Amino acid sequence: PKMKEDNCLHAALICLGMLYYSHAITTEKLNHARPSLHGHHEKGKEGQVLHRSKRGWVWNQFFVIEEYTGPDPVLVGRLHSDIDSGDGNIKYILSGEGAGIIFVIDDKSGNIHATKTLDREERAQYTLTAQAVDRNTNRPLEPPSEFIVKVQDINDNPPEFLHENYHANVPERSNVGTSVIQVTASDADDPTYGNSAKLVYSILEGQPYFSVEAQTGIIRTALPNMDREAKEEYHVVIQAKDMGGHMGGLSGTTKVTITLTDVNDNPPKFPQSVYQMSVSEAAVPGEEVGRVKAKDPDIGENGLVAYSIIDGDGMDMFEITTDYETQEGVIKLKKLLDFETKKSYSLKVEAANVHIDPKFISNGPFKDTVTVKISVEDADEPPVFLKPSYIFEVQENAASGTVVGKVHAKDPDAANSAIRYSIDRHTDLERYFIINAEDGNIKTIKALDREEIAWHNISVFAVEVHKQHQEAKVPVAIKVVDVNDNAPKFAAAYEAFVCENARSNQQFITISADDKDDSANGPRFIFSLPPEIIHNPNFTLRDNRDNTASVLVRREGFSRQKQDLYLLPIVISDGGLPPMSSTNTLTIRVCGCDSNGSLLSCNAEAYILNAGLSTGALIAILACIVILLVIVVLFVTLKRQKKEPLIVFEEEDVRENIITYDDEGGGEEDTEAFDIATLQNPDGINGFIPRKDIKPEYQYMPRPGLRPAPNSVDVDDFINTRIQEADNDPTAPPYDSIQIYGYEGRGSVAGSLSSLESATTDSDLDYDYLQNWGPRFKKLADLYGSKDTFDDDS
């Protein structure tokens, strides 16, 4: 039925076209007397003005309907000239776009037919040129004229959307009529003719949530308060129909996926009103106690929740942080707990949205609270010392067993177990101290020396009696109090120098002292001379009262020849209780000085040698030098007089000892192939066989004329002579010998390689291939090929 309806439509359009064509012919005939648009004046040969003839044939704009599928060609129109009298003398010619291929003309009647089905969407019009000529002479009777054939559109193209699928987003809770997306379809039919390209949009799927504007294709929300948490994604189908949406129009569809985007329209909510948690009293600060979570159906930043503690008796003991990956509140311990002091805590935790949308603030507070109850669990705790550290003092040199101090620890648990104490021997390797295991009293084992170790840092363990794994450790610092038990001494190893020409009361050195004891036992040093030499005639001492003393010369003039060294004892006392003193000896050397007091020499021996031994010493040194020179000259003279030949070979017996073994080893299993002795004499493996060398019966005497002179220094002649004698001496070994090698290896898997008796052996082998191995194997090929040749000849 559809095809019949299309054929009727086509027939109606053809009739309309023919009526239009007849009307055009009538109009043209009525306007026949109108001058041509192409007319103009021309001059003839005689100069008169010629007028172009008026167009005398019909032409107009023709129409042909597209997609015509009838059995006969479509009549497009007819060209006719009023010159044509119908006798067939006029010939109509058609040229231009599609002429002869798509459009053909009857050259007699001027009827134009379309031979092919036309598609307006491919080409909407064709420009053709028509001309009337004399059939016999082909002389143009009418000037050529263009006309247009337009393809009449029919509704043969459905609407098509730009995209097969669309994706769009719209916020949830949007007002009705909120624009979501615009979809656009196009129709290839002619928009200027009829309603073939007039589109109307409608929604096939997606009601009642969305609607579409019929003329624009804009999709809008149609339902208020759409909730993303209830349904997030919608699938909408939009249809575009031509012919203004009337019956018989063509249509196309597209799918639109619409996603509701989230807005913060839901507050966080705890799933329960109370959380129960527990934590051991042995937990350390920072340890996690538990987690709480408020559920928020929103997503992204709209679902972010921050947690805080707003009330409770555990605000100082606990803290809460937010884990943004899991959206949980993490409760952690902030301070140490004590089960014996407090056994439970209560917290009020709040969860609030981080980002709040002002549009939905009227929905209520975007936060929620919950109560968290935390119980403290008793733990088996180690002993606890009353102090975090201890500092004791003990005097040095105190007797063994002196009490240093006492440490004390207790069991914090309700059981209150007994405590035992011990010293960490890694901190007291020398075993200076001992501790009472029951009461914690620390005593010395041996005397202490402050000057050796001023502080002792030890560690004391406290262990529960019944639970050895529960222990505590505390540092104990023991200060050794100083006792004045060290006398002061020189601060350095002093060595003084005094000039021979020193003046009376001249200061020549300042000394100081050092004391190993603490400054409290020697803040000031006292310097003095021993009572027995307090009236020393040579030197005197002056205490400067600043822990230094000056040594002065008492008399004038010293002599190195008489005495070059003086030892001065000095007594140094400290200010301790009781005071300690020591006698220190100052070494004073007498030196020679110039007039300015600068030292020249302090060596008394050098002074004496300079006076009496200079001449004798010089004579001795010169004598030694002369003797050494004489010995060197004699040695050189004797060396030159001694002459010996560079090479002496008169008494040497030079012989060649070259043995050549031109034998062949055994097979692959000959494990003795490299045994030279076996190869030389294979029959003598089990016994000794003497050498078979034959010694000559006569002795060869070298010719005296060939021997070089004994003192000849021509080494080359000497060597050549010796070589010639050795070559001509038959008595020199090796002698002529006969060696028999009758040994051959055994067990070779390859067999014998000998060619002996090969001529008499019957062999079926074919050696013709040797002929192809080139000239190097020619002789071998001749040897083995002769047999075949002989056989062929016979």
Side-chain angles (χ1 to χ4, degrees):
K2 177 116 190 261
M3 186 176 297
K4 184 181 292 185
E5 181 181 348
D6 291 342
N7 291 335
C8 294
L9 181 61
H10 291 166
L13 291 175
I14 291 173
C15 294
L16 290 174
M18 294 300 293
L19 292 173
Y20 188 81
Y21 171 65
S22 301
H23 174 71
I25 293 176
T26 306
T27 304
E28 184 64 25
K29 287 182 177 180
L30 292 174
N31 296 328
H32 184 269
R34 187 176 58 189
S36 173
L37 296 175
H38 304 283
H40 61 279
H41 296 87
E42 294 181 358
K43 287 187 177 182
K45 295 180 180 180
E46 293 82 6
Q48 72 273 19
V49 176
L50 299 178
H51 297 276
R52 173 173 291 183
S53 60
K54 298 176 183 179
R55 184 174 65 239
W57 59 288
V58 178
W59 70 278
N60 206 331
Q61 179 171 282
F62 301 118
F63 293 87
V64 60
I65 192 167
E66 67 170 333
E67 303 292 348
Y68 175 72
T69 57
D72 299 324
V74 179
L75 177 63
V76 178
R78 180 183 181 187
L79 296 179
H80 182 72
S81 176
D82 46 2
I83 301 176
D84 187 2
S85 60
D87 55 2
N89 292 327
I90 296 179
K91 180 181 180 181
Y92 297 99
I93 299 175
L94 185 67
S95 62
E97 298 173 344
I101 300 174
I102 299 175
F103 303 102
V104 294
I105 190 171
D106 187 346
D107 58 354
K108 292 183 180 180
S109 63
N111 291 334
I112 301 174
H113 290 82
T115 62
K116 293 184 178 181
T117 301
L118 302 180
D119 187 0
R120 190 203 66 86
E121 285 69 40
E122 291 183 2
R123 186 159 188 170
Q125 65 182 19
Y126 298 84
T127 302
L128 299 171
T129 302
Q131 190 174 14
V133 299
D134 187 272
R135 183 177 296 275
N136 298 321
T137 63
N138 286 331
R139 181 176 61 84
L141 301 176
E142 295 283 348
S145 180
E146 288 185 353
F147 64 95
I148 296 174
V149 177
K150 285 192 174 183
V151 182
Q152 188 71 41
D153 181 51
I154 64 172
N155 189 19
D156 60 340
N157 290 280
E160 292 184 359
F161 284 91
L162 299 180
H163 303 285
E164 185 177 353
N165 293 286
Y166 289 85
H167 295 273
N169 299 323
V170 63
E172 62 174 331
R173 308 285 183 182
S174 296
N175 297 327
V176 175
T178 301
S179 176
V180 179
I181 190 175
Q182 183 179 16
V183 294
T184 304
S186 60
D187 196 320
D189 293 326
D190 189 0
T192 63
Y193 177 77
N195 294 327
S196 297
K198 185 178 181 181
L199 304 181
V200 174
Y201 299 93
S202 61
I203 183 167
L204 300 182
E205 295 181 16
Q207 299 96 339
Y209 306 102
F210 300 95
S211 63
V212 63
E213 292 183 356
Q215 305 301 325
T216 61
I218 297 176
I219 301 175
R220 299 182 183 273
T221 59
L223 197 66
N225 296 325
M226 284 191 293
D227 190 5
R228 184 200 66 84
E229 288 73 32
K231 186 176 182 180
E232 183 177 7
E233 192 172 84
Y234 296 85
H235 298 281
V236 179
V237 177
I238 303 297
Q239 174 184 265
K241 191 173 183 181
D242 59 13
M243 298 300 292
H246 293 91
M247 185 178 298
L250 304 177
S251 63
T253 59
T254 184
K255 294 181 180 179
V256 182
T257 302
I258 301 176
T259 303
L260 296 183
T261 58
D262 184 62
V263 297
N264 190 10
D265 57 339
N266 294 281
K269 186 71 176 176
F270 284 105
Q272 59 195 68
S273 58
V274 178
Y275 284 88
Q276 295 285 348
M277 299 179 183
S278 62
V279 61
S280 173
E281 64 171 333
V284 296
E287 187 172 335
E288 182 178 327
V289 178
R291 296 189 174 211
V292 296
K293 183 176 183 180
K295 295 183 178 180
D296 190 335
D298 297 323
I299 60 175
E301 66 176 14
N302 297 321
L304 294 179
V305 179
Y307 298 87
S308 61
I309 299 175
I310 60 175
D311 197 5
D313 57 0
M315 293 183 63
D316 296 333
M317 303 299 295
F318 301 92
E319 62 182 357
I320 190 169
T321 58
T322 303
D323 186 347
Y324 285 104
E325 291 186 1
T326 61
Q327 292 298 303
E328 293 176 323
V330 183
I331 299 176
K332 296 181 179 180
L333 183 64
K334 188 162 58 173
K335 296 181 180 180
L336 290 173
L337 300 173
D338 187 8
F339 174 80
E340 290 71 24
T341 303
K342 190 173 177 60
K343 296 179 175 58
S344 65
Y345 294 89
S346 178
L347 300 175
K348 189 175 183 181
V349 176
E350 180 184 78
N353 276 139
V354 177
H355 303 282
I356 298 177
D357 193 339
K359 297 179 181 179
F360 305 100
I361 195 69
S362 60
N363 290 1
F366 283 80
K367 57 186 177 181
D368 193 16
T369 58
V370 71
T371 301
V372 180
K373 293 184 178 181
I374 303 173
S375 60
V376 181
E377 296 178 350
D378 187 20
D380 189 9
E381 300 175 86
V384 177
F385 283 95
L386 298 184
K387 296 181 180 180
S389 62
Y390 292 87
I391 299 177
F392 300 131
E393 292 184 355
V394 61
Q395 284 192 347
E396 66 175 328
N397 302 326
S400 177
T402 301
V403 177
V404 176
K406 181 180 180 180
V407 298
H408 182 69
K410 67 175 183 177
D411 182 11
D413 298 323
N416 195 15
S417 301
I419 306 298
R420 292 293 180 265
Y421 303 93
S422 62
I423 295 177
D424 184 3
R425 287 305 171 187
H426 293 92
T427 60
D428 185 26
L429 297 175
E430 299 296 331
R431 295 184 175 270
Y432 288 103
F433 307 97
I434 192 173
I435 190 170
N436 190 305
E438 295 182 357
D439 59 13
N441 276 320
I442 301 174
K443 298 180 181 180
T444 60
I445 300 178
K446 53 186 177 182
L448 306 178
D449 187 0
R450 190 204 68 86
E451 286 70 41
E452 183 179 351
I453 302 176
W455 284 86
H456 293 268
N457 296 305
I458 64 175
S459 296
V460 175
F461 289 113
V463 183
E464 294 183 16
V465 174
H466 302 294
K467 299 175 182 178
Q468 298 294 327
H469 64 282
Q470 294 290 0
E471 67 176 12
K473 185 169 68 173
V474 68
V476 178
I478 302 173
K479 180 182 180 181
V480 182
V481 181
D482 184 49
V483 174
N484 192 20
D485 59 346
N486 289 279
K489 296 181 179 180
F490 278 158
Y494 293 108
E495 187 173 2
F497 302 94
V498 64
C499 295
E500 289 181 308
N501 55 357
R503 299 185 302 276
S504 178
N505 293 326
Q506 181 180 354
Q507 175 182 338
F508 60 89
I509 191 173
T510 300
I511 60 175
S512 62
D514 190 12
D515 194 337
K516 293 183 179 180
D517 291 324
D518 193 20
S519 59
N521 289 315
R524 169 164 154 21
F525 299 116
I526 301 172
F527 300 88
S528 63
L529 295 177
E532 62 271 13
I533 62 168
I534 194 170
H535 299 293
N536 188 302
N538 299 316
F539 307 100
T540 183
L541 186 68
R542 183 179 66 203
D543 193 340
N544 296 326
R545 299 183 178 276
D546 59 354
N547 292 334
T548 64
S550 300
V551 182
L552 297 87
V553 178
R554 174 169 285 187
R555 66 180 177 85
E556 295 184 356
F558 292 87
S559 175
R560 283 182 291 171
Q561 296 178 358
K562 294 181 179 180
Q563 185 175 353
D564 64 337
L565 184 67
Y566 294 89
L567 301 177
L568 179 64
I570 298 176
V571 179
I572 307 175
S573 300
D574 58 21
L577 294 175
M580 298 287 292
S581 63
S582 66
T583 301
N584 302 266
T585 302
L586 178 65
T587 302
I588 303 173
R589 291 187 178 276
V590 180
C591 301
C593 304
D594 57 11
S595 59
N596 296 327
S598 300
L599 294 178
L600 295 178
S601 175
C602 297
N603 194 345
E605 289 76 7
Y607 182 82
I608 297 172
L609 289 174
N610 188 26
L613 296 178
S614 60
T615 304
L618 290 174
I619 293 174
I621 292 172
L622 290 175
C624 291
I625 293 173
V626 170
I627 293 172
L628 290 174
L629 290 174
V630 170
I631 292 173
V632 171
V633 170
L634 290 176
F635 179 77
V636 172
T637 303
L638 292 176
K639 192 71 175 178
R640 289 181 178 178
Q641 291 179 355
K642 184 179 179 181
K643 285 188 176 181
E644 295 181 357
L646 295 177
I647 301 175
V648 179
F649 289 108
E650 288 86 0
E651 301 301 328
E652 293 182 5
D653 189 4
V654 179
R655 296 181 177 90
E656 291 182 354
N657 187 15
I658 301 174
I659 300 175
T660 302
Y661 298 96
D662 190 8
D663 61 308
E664 182 178 354
E668 285 84 357
E669 295 184 3
D670 183 10
T671 58
E672 299 177 352
F674 297 98
D675 190 346
I676 302 300
T678 303
L679 292 176
Q680 290 177 344
N681 191 5
D683 297 330
I685 297 176
N686 299 323
F688 174 78
I689 297 178
R691 181 186 174 103
K692 296 181 180 180
D693 292 352
I694 300 175
K695 185 177 181 181
E697 297 179 356
Y698 61 91
Q699 296 292 330
Y700 171 76
M701 297 301 294
R703 288 175 292 178
L706 297 176
R707 183 180 300 275
N711 294 329
S712 175
V713 295
D714 192 345
V715 179
D716 187 46
D717 293 342
F718 177 80
I719 292 174
N720 291 331
T721 302
R722 289 291 188 177
I723 291 174
Q724 186 175 3
E725 289 179 1
D727 293 338
N728 298 324
D729 187 1
T731 63
Y735 311 114
D736 293 338
S737 60
I738 299 174
Q739 298 290 345
I740 299 174
Y741 298 96
Y743 176 75
E744 182 177 359
R746 297 179 297 277
S748 174
V749 298
S752 175
L753 299 177
S754 174
S755 61
L756 299 177
E757 299 180 357
S758 61
T760 61
T761 303
D762 295 334
S763 176
D764 296 335
L765 297 178
D766 186 5
Y767 298 99
D768 291 342
Y769 59 84
L770 295 176
Q771 301 289 342
N772 302 326
W773 284 13
R776 293 185 179 182
F777 297 91
K778 183 176 184 303
K779 189 172 185 63
L780 187 62
D782 295 341
L783 290 174
Y784 283 88
S786 60
K787 181 175 181 301
D788 297 337
T789 306
F790 177 77
D791 294 341
D792 295 339
D793 295 340
S794 61

